[in-house]
Amino acid sequence: MTTTTLTAPAPGAPSRTVARPRRAGWLRHWPLLPLIATGWLRHWPLLPLIATVLLPALPYGLGVGGGPSVGPADIASGIAVLICAGRLLYLRQRPLSGAAALVLGLPAVGFAVATVTAADPAAALPGLVRYLQVFVLVPAAVCLLLKDAHGFRIVAGALVVLALVQGAVGVEQYVTGTGASYMGEEIRAVGTFGPSDIMGMATVVAYGLLAAAACALRTPRTAPAWLRPCAAVVAVGLIVPLTLSFSRGVWLATAAALLVSLALAGRRQALTSLAVLGASAVVLVGGFGIGSQLIAERAASVTQVTRAPDRSVSDRYAMWSAAGSMWREQPATGVGLKGFPAHRDAHASVGLSSGSDTAGAGQEFRRQALLSPHNMYLLILSEQGLIGLTAVVGSWAAILVGAVRRLRRARSRGDAAMDCGLVAVALMTWQCVNFLYSDIGGPTTVLGGVILGLAAWWALAEPEKAGTA
């Protein structure tokens, strides 16, 4: 704090304004501190959602009694659900609309039927709890806890933070050769998830990349000038760890989601953004030689999955065939939740290997059993039959179509929250495409519920709430 020394004016001299001590910059705005604190207090219910987004990178918990594993993010999501239940029961606040309740609650019908009709309903109960958590309770909690577009942006920003941290760890693993084993070298970027969850880092990096790209395409009107270039740099930078994950399915899903976002953002921005992304890829991969040979081989293998598939693709085809055989045996209700591993050997071909090899990133060599078809739609079809698949896919389709329709209306009206719509559509598109090559499992499973909740809030929330800047 600086002060100015003044002397008394001489008699008869004109009076001068007395200079007062100049306060530090932040002290000058002290009257605004209560308003700032009040703004944060308005969003305190988002804290468990933010924790749910950030905690999957921590060590994963062990299942109890053979049930699904419980990690820190699962506990945080449970707290979010309990907060919503308390507000609904005691304060009667923010009930879901009829349409939202129908769309989000529809999958529960298929889950319940598959559990009751399972050969061992008790063994199916852990699966019922997990499915309800990820596809019903967490999405509903997100819809109930988000008050406006500002809350949406906070959760989306947490996705970007998680992606940056995991991406930095992944790049460091590639550079130092401490990643998961790939083609005989420990260079595969897996972040803190380890080789047992080979797609964990790629998943969270893709989430952050899409959220940052949407912010760069449609930056909020009230945002500072630096936000758009910063978001563009983050999106381009996250291409590096995503590429070094060597996950073909995540590459395809991210490309599809980006194309949808660019198409909905506008033709002019789409052409500019494609040019920037293309130039960035050439510089990062070609110019600096970041894994260029291995990446080229991995990318070329995408076109060889039918002509000369590798071992992982052959195993996946065998499990897809086994899932189809289970469905044909029980077409209406499937074999029951958590029933795929028990029925796999009876329906799989002799060409299916016993498991996949995992090593590196601080883990010894181990054989990981193949307990799912690595296709969410076929997993639902085999375990829940046509009833479950219709309920789940119908719910997701309603969310995606509703999100796209609202985004188009927001674009025509010039709504201030269009960036939220782009994030919602991009993430929901990514999830739907990626489920063609993966299913639930691992620490990032609960993040799928958050993604569904963000998309459902944009698609099903009241217009005045979704359009609030």
Side-chain angles (χ1 to χ4, degrees):
M1 180 181 298
T2 59
T3 58
T4 304
T5 304
L6 301 176
T7 58
S15 61
R16 292 181 297 174
T17 303
V18 179
R20 299 184 181 276
R22 289 184 297 175
R23 297 170 177 168
W26 66 273
L27 285 177
R28 288 182 295 172
H29 300 288
W30 70 266
L32 297 178
L33 294 180
L35 296 177
I36 297 174
T38 303
W40 279 104
L41 288 176
R42 287 181 61 248
H43 295 286
W44 73 264
L46 294 180
L47 292 178
L49 288 183
I50 297 173
T52 302
V53 171
L54 298 178
L55 291 179
L58 294 182
Y60 206 47
L62 298 176
V64 178
S69 299
V70 179
D74 297 304
I75 297 174
S77 70
I79 295 173
V81 173
L82 290 177
I83 290 176
C84 290
R87 296 175 70 180
L88 291 176
L89 293 176
Y90 296 103
L91 301 179
R92 303 292 181 180
Q93 290 184 353
R94 299 182 60 78
L96 289 172
S97 65
L102 175 62
V103 172
L104 293 176
L106 185 60
V109 176
F111 304 155
V113 172
T115 302
V116 173
T117 58
D120 187 359
L125 281 177
L128 174 64
V129 173
R130 188 61 159 170
Y131 274 83
L132 287 176
Q133 174 206 11
V134 176
F135 298 119
V136 179
L137 296 179
V138 172
V142 174
C143 288
L144 291 170
L145 294 178
L146 290 182
K147 293 182 178 181
D148 50 30
H150 183 61
F152 185 105
R153 291 166 185 147
I154 291 175
V155 178
L159 289 172
V160 177
V161 171
L162 177 63
L164 287 172
V165 173
Q166 290 300 312
V169 174
V171 172
E172 190 268 342
Q173 289 173 335
Y174 175 84
V175 173
T176 59
T178 57
S181 178
Y182 177 76
M183 302 292 288
E185 302 179 71
E186 295 186 353
I187 58 173
R188 189 168 191 174
V190 292
T192 61
F193 296 98
S196 59
D197 186 21
I198 206 72
M199 293 181 62
M201 187 217 71
T203 297
V204 300
V205 168
Y207 289 158
L209 190 156
L210 293 174
C215 183
L217 289 172
R218 278 290 186 272
T219 309
R221 296 174 184 171
T222 57
W226 54 262
L227 183 59
R228 169 168 286 184
C230 182
V233 170
V234 169
V236 172
L238 288 175
I239 295 176
V240 177
L242 183 70
T243 303
L244 298 179
S245 69
F246 298 104
S247 297
R248 293 169 293 194
V250 176
W251 292 351
L252 294 175
T254 305
L258 283 175
L259 289 176
V260 171
S261 299
L262 293 173
L264 293 174
R267 182 182 305 175
R268 181 179 178 182
Q269 284 189 318
L271 295 176
T272 304
S273 302
L274 284 175
V276 172
L277 288 174
S280 302
V282 171
V283 171
L284 292 174
V285 179
F288 293 106
I290 301 179
S292 55
Q293 182 178 355
L294 292 175
I295 293 170
E297 294 175 356
R298 190 66 167 174
S301 67
V302 174
T303 62
Q304 299 172 356
V305 293
T306 56
R307 291 182 289 122
D310 55 29
R311 188 65 190 177
S312 63
V313 176
S314 299
D315 286 340
R316 187 164 300 187
Y317 286 162
M319 290 187 292
W320 289 2
S321 177
S325 178
M326 293 178 200
W327 168 69
R328 286 189 292 272
E329 186 178 277
Q330 299 286 341
T333 59
V335 298
L337 292 178
K338 308 293 287 186
F340 184 89
H343 293 79
R344 184 199 64 179
D345 293 339
H347 295 270
S349 65
V350 294
L352 179 64
S353 62
S354 59
S356 59
D357 300 335
T358 61
Q363 177 180 296
E364 299 293 334
F365 174 83
R366 67 178 61 175
R367 194 78 169 166
Q368 189 169 346
L370 302 175
L371 302 179
S372 69
H374 294 288
N375 182 305
M376 193 65 204
Y377 304 105
L378 289 178
L379 179 63
I380 295 174
L381 185 65
S382 62
E383 293 187 343
Q384 304 175 41
L386 285 176
I387 295 177
L389 185 67
T390 302
V392 173
V393 174
S395 173
W396 297 348
I399 292 174
L400 182 57
V401 172
V404 173
R405 291 182 60 187
R406 176 157 286 178
L407 178 58
R408 292 174 66 89
R409 291 199 301 268
R411 178 185 170 187
S412 63
R413 294 196 303 262
D415 285 357
M418 187 176 172
D419 60 299
C420 299
L422 275 178
V423 173
V425 172
L427 292 176
M428 192 63 192
T429 301
W430 187 95
Q431 199 70 58
C432 292
V433 175
N434 189 66
F435 272 157
L436 293 170
Y437 320 103
S438 67
D439 47 46
I440 61 173
T444 58
T445 296
V446 69
L447 287 181
V450 176
I451 298 307
L452 288 173
L454 291 175
W457 178 83
W458 172 258
L460 304 172
E462 292 82 355
E464 62 272 12
K465 295 174 183 177
T468 303

